[in-house]
């Protein structure tokens, strides 16, 4: 796609471009069941979810999980999620939004904390890979934050100015990572967090990805 010095979007994947919240809730409850914890509703999950993920579990258990508990819950989560993600689809209007942004001569990329080896074929399978300068998933242990990954991601993009970059994601951590890397952020309510928890971060919060793209255009102008 060449060198870009116009506005750039870094998209989150899970809960943003990829509408997988039902699979995530099911996987979370499967992991909780391993330790005899009560199942969560979507509303309760959105109220409590945070990263690093062990901190989220601490909010529910009253203590941090032991190393053995974390390994068990993490393995259960990923096994369940992998089985059920096949029922999930792109969020409403994603293909049109990606096409419109690219057609305007602007660039975009994906940075996700979903495993890189799983992420790339999933994006490719939806036929949208060509819209992105780069698709980066997690290459280290799961459960951590995105800030240092964001710095590396933006550093690997030729001609992309962090000051004209907007991160679009569904989690408070997306905004924190953007700030850490010198970028802006817009947060979307269709994923893992409640509107109240997103608004507490102090960045624009929207209910649709179309609104997110409009806000990104304004922020990066």
């Amino acid at each position: 796609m060449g060198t870009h010095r116009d506005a750039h979007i870094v998209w989150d994947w899970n809960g943003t471009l990829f509408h997988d919240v039902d699979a995530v809730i099911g996987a979370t409850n499967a992991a909780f069941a391993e330790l005899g914890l009560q199942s969560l509703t979507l509303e309760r999950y959105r109220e409590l979810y945070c990263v690093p993920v062990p901190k989220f579990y601490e909010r529910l258990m009253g203590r941090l999980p032991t190393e053995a508990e974390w390994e068990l819950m993490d393995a259960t989560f990923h096994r369940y999620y992998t089985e059920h993600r096949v029922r999930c689809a792109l969020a409403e209007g994603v293909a049109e939004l990606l096409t419109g942004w690219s057609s305007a001569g602007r660039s975009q990329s994906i940075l996700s904390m979903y495993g890189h080896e799983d992420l790339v074929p999933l994006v490719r399978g939806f036929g949208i890979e060509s819209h992105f300068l780069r698709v980066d998933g997690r290459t280290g242990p799961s459960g951590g934050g995105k800030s240092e990954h964001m710095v590396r991601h933006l550093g690997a993009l030729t001609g992309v100015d962090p000051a004209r970059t907007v991160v679009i994601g569904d989690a408070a951590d997306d905004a924190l990572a953007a700030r850490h890397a010198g970028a802006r952020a817009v947060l979307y309510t269709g994923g893992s967090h409640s509107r109240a928890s997103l608004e507490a971060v102090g960045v624009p919060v929207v209910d649709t990805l179309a609104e997110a793209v409009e806000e990104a255009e304004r922020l990066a102008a």
Side-chain angles (χ1 to χ4, degrees):
M1 294 174 66
T3 299
H4 296 256
R5 299 193 181 278
D6 203 340
H8 181 82
I9 290 175
V10 178
W11 293 96
D12 175 54
W13 179 249
N14 303 94
T16 305
L17 290 178
F18 189 45
H19 186 66
D20 62 349
V21 66
D22 291 336
V24 168
I25 297 299
T28 299
N29 284 331
F32 287 173
E34 292 286 353
L35 299 186
L37 298 175
Q38 185 175 357
S39 295
L40 292 177
T41 62
L42 173 59
E43 291 72 25
R44 184 66 172 155
Y45 177 91
R46 285 175 166 165
E47 287 174 10
L48 296 174
Y49 182 74
C50 65
V51 297
V53 176
K55 186 72 175 177
F56 168 51
Y57 290 162
E58 182 183 24
R59 291 181 173 184
L60 294 154
M61 299 171 66
R63 60 174 176 80
L64 282 169
T66 65
E67 183 175 347
E69 287 172 335
W70 163 251
E71 290 177 356
L72 174 62
M73 295 171 81
D74 191 49
T76 301
F77 177 95
H78 284 100
R79 183 173 62 251
Y80 182 101
Y81 178 83
T82 298
E83 292 172 359
H84 290 78
R85 75 180 186 195
V86 295
R87 300 190 183 97
C88 302
L90 296 176
E92 183 178 357
V94 161
E96 293 79 8
L97 291 171
L98 297 178
T99 298
W101 189 262
S102 296
S103 297
R106 305 183 181 105
S107 59
Q108 50 199 328
S109 59
I110 292 176
L111 175 62
S112 173
M113 292 296 93
Y114 191 45
H116 185 76
E117 297 302 319
D118 293 315
L119 174 66
V120 172
L122 191 54
V123 173
R124 187 172 296 145
F126 281 111
I128 58 174
E129 185 181 23
S130 63
H131 290 296
F132 306 109
L133 296 181
R134 189 177 182 93
V135 175
D136 282 337
R138 173 183 49 78
T139 56
S142 63
K146 191 178 271 189
S147 292
E148 296 306 322
H149 298 274
M150 185 68 70
V151 171
R152 289 194 295 271
H153 179 77
L154 291 179
L157 295 172
T158 302
V160 170
D161 181 2
R164 299 206 64 202
T165 296
V166 179
V167 176
I168 297 178
D170 69 312
D173 189 56
D174 291 303
L176 299 178
R179 188 176 301 157
H180 184 75
R184 312 289 286 277
V186 179
L187 297 180
Y188 163 61
T189 61
S192 60
H193 280 40
S194 67
R195 172 174 275 278
S197 63
L198 294 178
E199 289 177 340
V201 184
V203 303
V205 176
V206 298
D207 295 319
T208 69
L209 292 182
E211 292 175 285
V213 170
E214 291 175 6
E215 193 67 22
E217 188 170 9
R218 184 187 70 78
L219 290 172

